[in-house]
Amino acid sequence: MTMPNNVFSGNDVHHVPRWDFVTVDRPRTSHQVCDSAVFEFFEKVVDLVRQYAPDAAIAFNSSPEDCADAALRWLR
């Protein structure tokens, strides 16, 4: 699901839709997984999910091809 550009209005998050789950993808290459900048970015992604979708499950996928499988784990 893609969020429309007009969902956020400044700091007003009252109009943010409720998310059941959020899928987070991993870095594309194995050398990126150990990069400290990637870890820092990953932490920010998880923190944003917790902030804007506190009740959402976080599903991790390893490639675009298994994104649906990651989502299905939380929909069952």
Side-chain angles (χ1 to χ4, degrees):
M1 178 176 191
T2 304
M3 226 187 301
N5 291 334
N6 62 353
V7 169
F8 295 104
S9 169
N11 291 328
D12 180 17
V13 295
H14 299 288
H15 301 291
V16 176
R18 183 183 178 284
W19 299 88
D20 294 323
F21 66 92
V22 175
T23 304
V24 178
D25 200 3
R26 68 164 176 81
R28 290 285 156 241
T29 60
S30 60
H31 75 275
Q32 288 178 317
V33 174
C34 297
D35 186 351
S36 62
V38 172
F39 279 125
E40 185 177 334
F41 178 76
F42 181 74
E43 288 174 344
K44 289 178 182 178
V45 169
V46 172
D47 285 343
L48 286 169
V49 171
R50 290 176 56 212
Q51 180 180 355
Y52 291 105
D55 297 327
I58 302 174
F60 297 95
N61 65 312
S62 58
S63 71
E65 291 78 25
D66 70 355
C67 187
D69 293 331
L72 285 173
R73 287 194 299 268
W74 293 102
L75 292 175
R76 292 186 180 143

